[in-house]
Amino acid sequence: MARPSTAAGAATDRPIRRRPKNRKAQIANVAAEAFSERGYHAVGVDEIAATIGISGPALYRHYPNKYALFVHAATTTADALQATADGALDGVAEREPGDRLEHLIAALVANSIENRKIAGLYRWEGRYLEAEDRKRIRAVFVHVTQCVAAPLREIRPELTAVDATTLGASTLSVIGSISAHRTTLATRRLDTLLKSACGSILNATLPPAVPNAGKAAVGTVRGLAVTSKRELLINEAVKIFDRHGSHDSSIEEIGAAAGINASSVYRH
């Protein structure tokens, strides 16, 4: 019997490379980190593929284009937030509202810490989503906000639905704030700090509604009297960041909106 050639034997002995079963999720996670770190336009598909160790065409077997990858990364992150909220409440449905709220906040804080690198994706880069995709993610935030607001109103019956929703949204903002900076703290300390900050917000007393607040004069901030350039800068910066995102906003633009030059911004 003829013996197989050396080349044939080598080919037979070579291990077969198999595609990981979680390749699509792996791609989405790497993409979410990249989009969160540098913004939608600054990240290329080939760069994401290279980080994982595959080719661009191989990535397109999972996602038809960059936008589809972005949508999947954003919605997966948002869905995980909703699943965390629902899961936390499912196990404590029969408890007192204070216990339910405490359990919920603890779960949301833990989720934010665990997903810190990607938690800001749908907040900072969400403007690139098309209307229907943006609507879907907004629905997630409305749902999670109401998960916080519902037990809060049981604890504080004096709150109106609007005030409870405001406090709920503010609490979620604090929880997600760690995705916007890179301050290094031990996980336990960060967990304690976030829970404490959330408690302060949930116990806060909101000022009464201001009559005709929607008709504020030019040069004033709705609901807040501008008494310094610093407050004005913050107010204008919020609007500009919301329109363009952090990466596409400039100090010059913010300064101009507040009526000062760029170098003066740094004094505040």
Side-chain angles (χ1 to χ4, degrees), residues 8 28 75 96 99 105 122 127 131 135 141 151 165 170 183 213 222 235 237 242 249 251-253:
T75 54
E96 294 296 317
D99 290 338
I105 295 301
Y122 38 69
R127 64 193 180 282
K135 183 178 178 181
F141 282 109
T165 298
S170 300
T183 301
R222 181 176 176 178
N235 181 66
D242 182 59
S249 301
I251 291 295
E252 289 77 12
E253 183 179 8

Side-chain angles (χ1 to χ4, degrees), residues 81-97:
L81 177 68
Q82 179 168 330
T84 297
D86 291 343
L89 292 175
D90 284 345
V92 294
E94 303 302 321
R95 294 189 189 178
E96 294 296 317

Side-chain angles (χ1 to χ4, degrees), residues 10-17:
T12 302
D13 295 338
R14 187 180 300 131
I16 300 174
R17 294 185 61 186

Side-chain angles (χ1 to χ4, degrees), residues 136-249:
R136 178 187 169 189
I137 290 183
R138 184 179 294 275
V140 170
F141 282 109
V142 170
H143 175 81
V144 177
T145 298
Q146 291 309 311
C147 285
V148 177
L152 180 60
R153 288 198 76 190
E154 293 183 60
I155 299 167
R156 301 181 58 186
E158 78 280 5
L159 291 175
T160 65
V162 172
D163 283 353
T165 298
T166 299
L167 293 175
S170 300
T171 300
L172 293 181
S173 181
V174 166
I175 292 172
S177 66
I178 60 173
S179 66
H181 60 74
R182 294 292 179 265
T183 301
T184 302
L185 291 175
T187 298
R188 182 176 298 180
R189 185 180 176 192
L190 185 57
D191 180 87
T192 300
L193 181 62
L194 286 176
K195 289 177 182 175
S196 175
C198 289
S200 296
I201 291 175
L202 294 170
N203 290 311
T205 300
L206 295 176
V210 179
N212 300 318
K215 300 179 180 179
V218 176
T220 66
V221 181
R222 181 176 176 178
L224 175 67
V226 177
T227 57
S228 71
K229 282 290 186 183
R230 185 173 186 277
E231 289 178 358
L232 182 59
L233 278 169
I234 292 172
N235 181 66
E236 296 301 330
V238 167
K239 298 177 191 175
I240 291 170
F241 288 143
D242 182 59
R243 282 199 304 269
H244 308 306
S246 173
H247 296 288
D248 296 326
S249 301

